Amino acid sequence: MENEVLSELWLEWITDNLLNGADEASLVGELERQGVAKELAREMLVAIQASPVYRAARKHSVKGRRLELLRRLLVAQRWFEQCPPEAERIKLGPEPLGLGNWLSTHTPVIFTDLVARWPGKDNFTPERLKERFGDVILDVAWGRQTEVNYDRKTAQLSRKMPLGKFVEALQSVESTNDFYAVAQNKNLSLPELHALFQDMWFPESWLDRADLGRGSALWLGPKGTITSLHHDTSNILFSQLYGRKQFLLVNPLELELAEGATAMYAALDPESPEGEGWLQGKLVKRVVLEPGETLLIPAGWWHHVRALEVSVSVAVNSLRLPNNFDWYRPGEVT
């Protein structure tokens, strides 16, 4: 039986298809197949397109469709960098280039000889940290395995304990994601640990050493710790100092990851069967970061991290280049 009035769902369906460039004749034909009178279908299409709300939405839709075409073009071009699908490893040489040379391509790279130049590179083992700073009170996320969204609940899970006791705890287990000293704990802001900055070295043109206390983070944990899939709003130099970590990096052009995201955290678990399936054919790089290597993670790149061994890492974002992209939060666009 032919409908005399179209439901709101049908009106939404028509509007959505019109905004996405659907042909009017095909829409009328589909409505007819669903039992809607041809004249009513045509009247509704005319009425919707005459609405000032629709005309305003149409402007944004056209812009969005053009941007989507640009995204598809960039995705197609970026496939050239997917062979091999791993971040390029680079030796800096005696006179390192400025970071802008790599950030201009917005592509993760690994510097293989940066940490080798640190004057105190051997001071970042768990044993050495315990020896030097064993009595320093850290904030540590504890009880992570009981929380689904443990990374987002770091503040609630954090407890204070001496660094030495924490090192003993992480060395006493084979593998766990239950406890971890993470960036959100802000332990490198502690004055008692600022001596570690003297053990680091970066090219003068790369970052402001005076800002290291604010722009650095210590990661310390056992084998098996996981940082769930997320992106940052700054470019980050992530130095792996002890143990190995496995990184999964997803290009921000894969906009689908923003769907269902909470702040900077994706809803997707890349280690689940569903996640592994979704990643097939996507712009993805997989990296095992070895001790002594530094990974440059451009702002916006999604990354999931698993510690393959007891691990010590330092992340730095106090770059001299503009490095505040806090406006980049696609997961919060509704």
Side-chain angles (χ1 to χ4, degrees), residues 37 57 97 107 135 139 163 182 199 206 215 222 225 230 243 252 254 286 314 321 327:
L97 297 171
T107 304
D135 293 330
D139 277 326
L163 187 150
V182 300
D199 296 325
W206 286 21
T225 51
H230 72 288
E254 302 291 2
R286 300 177 190 272
V314 168
L321 293 171
W327 49 265

Side-chain angles (χ1 to χ4, degrees), residues 76-233:
Q77 294 287 352
R78 285 299 175 99
W79 272 105
F80 291 117
E81 73 182 33
Q82 291 297 101
C83 300
E86 195 174 283
E88 182 182 4
R89 283 179 158 84
I90 295 172
K91 283 192 175 183
L92 290 172
E95 296 185 9
L97 297 171
L99 270 181
N101 288 274
W102 293 287
L103 288 174
S104 63
T105 67
H106 200 66
T107 304
V109 297
I110 297 171
F111 303 116
T112 60
D113 58 344
L114 176 61
V115 172
R117 307 180 192 202
W118 287 21
K121 61 181 181 298
D122 297 329
N123 286 330
F124 289 89
T125 67
E127 294 80 7
R128 186 68 175 130
L129 291 171
K130 178 182 176 182
E131 178 184 334
R132 295 179 70 192
F133 308 107
D135 293 330
V136 174
I137 304 300
L138 297 184
D139 277 326
V140 177
W142 202 285
R144 288 159 51 94
Q145 289 189 162
T146 62
E147 293 286 348
V148 176
N149 301 314
Y150 45 82
D151 279 317
R152 282 176 258 164
K153 296 186 177 180
T154 295
Q156 297 96 305
L157 295 174
S158 290
R159 65 166 70 171
K160 295 186 181 295
M161 66 186 304
L163 187 150
K165 292 293 184 184
F166 183 64
V167 169
E168 292 173 7
L170 65 88
Q171 291 177 325
S172 69
V173 295
E174 174 61 27
S175 178
T176 184
N177 189 37
D178 197 49
F179 50 88
Y180 198 7
V182 300
Q184 292 183 60
N185 293 132
K186 303 184 186 304
N187 287 310
L188 275 186
S189 66
L190 296 171
E192 299 94 324
L193 295 183
H194 282 191
L196 288 172
F197 298 143
Q198 302 307 312
D199 296 325
M200 305 177 191
W201 179 86
F202 294 92
E204 185 68 20
S205 64
W206 286 21
L207 55 81
D208 183 357
R209 289 189 60 85
D211 204 26
L212 279 175
R214 183 199 60 80
S216 302
L218 176 69
W219 300 81
L220 176 61
K223 173 184 176 181
T225 51
I226 298 170
T227 302
S228 52
L229 189 64
H230 72 288
H231 71 82
D232 292 293
T233 57

